Amino acid sequence: MNYTLHQLQIFLKISEKESITKASEELHLTQPAVSIQLKNFQDQFPIPLTEVIGRKLYITDFGKEIAIAAQKIVDEVNQISYKTKAYQGHLSGVLKISVVSTGKYIIPYFLSDFMKQHEGVDLVLDVTNKQQVINSLEKNNVDFSLVSVLPKHLQIEKTKLMENQLYLVGNTSEKFTNKKYQKSIFSELPLIYREPGSGTRHTMETYIDKNDLPVRKKMELTSNEAVKQAVIAGLGYSIMPLIGIRNDLEAGRLQIIPVQGFPIKSIWNLIWLKNKKFSLVAEAFLKYVEEQKDEIIKDKFNLFNP
């Protein structure tokens, strides 16, 4: 067999995404290039690696076994690179972090300088909903997770990153002239929710239940960006983290509706499993965050006050 490391990496991405289109996007390759490499890789096996049913690509059972073996090969090759850099005195390895979707607005600022300082470190950053973030942490698939709602069923340790503020927001087509509205305003405004499992939705529902608010649920959407665009389009209102809407407030696409008891406040925490044995990379990143977080917050997040 004469398969290449490049073919293994492409097949792994196709296996992960179950889509040539999505794999090509993530690999920054054209679809024809990915298809050709998949065909060349397939030609070396007498058993199909993939099958297409309708217009959907599936990985066969044999293909899944090959993907597992391919991952081990790629990991071993990466280890050679990391060990070489380590012998040269460079910090090297993989840093794995899972982040709830709204956390994508803050985690890059805590990673940027660290990654620049340590070019031998590779980053795997998974941005998804709260449930998937906790699942990856529970399975010990990541070093850290970034959440605003702490899991109750796991033994964890944490370091506080920064405060998370949530406001009631709408587009700018309607004027809200009162200095402060009563909570009863919720009975008049159709609300757009995040999907079940979202940390933002959990915080939103906890506040609504605690205050026994009458609400009009308009719809639910599966990402913070989708909710934001729906609010901008005038489909309803929502309770959203300030960190994700700063640019839209400054540009006049959204407005904060001043309501008694707002903002709702929670804390962004970087968490990890209790008694976890850190790699040198994970240990260095945690040390960096704890030493630099105050300066990062002051420099990157104190420029906007609603």
Side-chain angles (χ1 to χ4, degrees):
M1 289 189 177
N2 297 309
Y3 49 77
T4 66
L5 180 62
H6 185 53
Q7 288 172 346
L8 292 177
Q9 292 168 329
I10 287 177
F11 181 64
L12 280 172
K13 186 58 68 175
I14 292 171
S15 300
E16 177 190 342
K17 298 300 179 181
E18 293 190 331
S19 165
I20 290 176
T21 300
K22 293 179 180 178
S24 64
E25 289 173 353
E26 291 216 2
L27 293 168
H28 305 291
L29 297 170
T30 65
Q31 290 185 42
V34 171
S35 297
I36 289 171
Q37 291 300 323
L38 175 60
K39 181 182 183 302
N40 292 341
F41 189 56
Q42 173 65 79
D43 287 346
Q44 301 180 69
F45 300 95
I47 304 170
L49 300 169
T50 64
E51 59 182 346
V52 177
I53 301 176
R55 302 185 66 177
K56 171 70 175 173
L57 182 142
Y58 295 90
I59 310 301
T60 64
D61 289 341
F62 177 68
K64 292 175 182 177
E65 292 292 332
I66 295 301
I68 292 172
Q71 185 65 65
K72 292 179 180 178
I73 294 171
V74 171
D75 288 345
E76 287 298 323
V77 171
N78 289 336
Q79 284 301 317
I80 293 173
S81 174
Y82 299 144
K83 289 181 185 297
T84 301
K85 291 174 181 175
Y87 269 86
Q88 293 175 319
H90 302 302
L91 182 67
S92 62
V94 181
L95 178 63
K96 298 180 180 180
I97 305 177
S98 58
V99 181
V100 294
S101 58
T102 48
K104 67 175 179 273
Y105 298 110
I106 69 169
I107 194 63
Y109 297 102
F110 291 89
L111 285 163
S112 178
D113 283 348
F114 178 80
M115 297 300 295
K116 290 176 183 176
Q117 292 170 17
H118 304 290
E119 294 183 357
V121 174
D122 292 331
L123 174 66
V124 177
L125 182 64
D126 183 28
V127 180
T128 183
N129 66 31
K130 185 190 75 171
Q131 189 58 54
Q132 292 301 316
V133 166
I134 299 305
N135 286 346
S136 62
L137 183 71
E138 186 172 12
K139 293 176 181 177
N140 201 29
N141 291 333
V142 296
D143 299 306
F144 303 100
S145 292
L146 179 66
V147 297
S148 59
V149 179
L150 295 174
K152 296 180 180 179
H153 67 292
L154 293 180
Q155 288 190 313
I156 62 165
E157 295 185 60
K158 61 184 175 68
T159 185
K160 173 184 172 181
L161 284 194
M162 58 184 288
E163 187 176 75
N164 184 29
Q165 298 182 3
L166 296 94
Y167 290 85
L168 177 65
V169 298
N171 71 5
T172 53
S173 62
E174 186 174 346
K175 301 300 181 183
F176 292 86
T177 56
N178 290 6
K179 186 175 181 180
K180 191 75 73 174
Y181 286 86
Q182 298 296 314
K183 297 174 184 177
S184 58
I185 193 175
F186 280 95
S187 64
E188 306 170 19
L189 304 178
L191 284 186
I192 301 173
Y193 281 61
R194 282 287 305 275
E195 80 284 3
S198 157
T200 298
R201 175 163 176 160
H202 173 82
T203 302
M204 180 174 172
E205 289 185 324
T206 298
Y207 178 84
I208 288 171
D209 292 343
K210 181 180 178 180
N211 290 275
D212 194 26
L213 299 178
V215 298
R216 294 168 53 197
K217 183 177 177 181
K218 180 74 172 179
M219 66 181 75
E220 64 180 45
L221 298 171
T222 57
S223 74
N224 194 67
E225 189 63 29
V227 171
K228 183 168 68 175
Q229 293 303 322
V231 173
I232 291 173
L235 292 175
Y237 300 79
S238 193
I239 295 174
M240 304 189 71
L242 176 64
I243 194 67
I245 59 173
R246 294 188 302 171
N247 292 340
D248 300 281
L249 290 170
E250 292 174 329
R253 291 184 290 267
L254 291 175
Q255 64 174 318
I256 288 174
I257 302 165
V259 179
Q260 187 181 49
F262 276 75
I264 305 171
K265 295 182 179 180
S266 61
I267 300 296
W268 287 111
N269 288 289
L270 193 69
I271 65 174
W272 59 94
L273 291 176
K274 190 173 183 180
N275 300 320
K276 180 176 176 60
K277 295 181 179 179
F278 284 135
S279 66
L280 291 177
V281 170
E283 187 175 340
F285 177 66
L286 181 59
K287 183 174 184 291
Y288 168 82
V289 167
E290 291 178 335
E291 291 178 350
Q292 300 296 323
K293 62 183 179 181
D294 290 343
E295 189 65 29
I296 293 170
I297 292 167
K298 179 182 178 181
D299 184 42
K300 303 298 183 180
F301 299 103
N302 283 351
L303 300 178
F304 183 85
N305 292 302

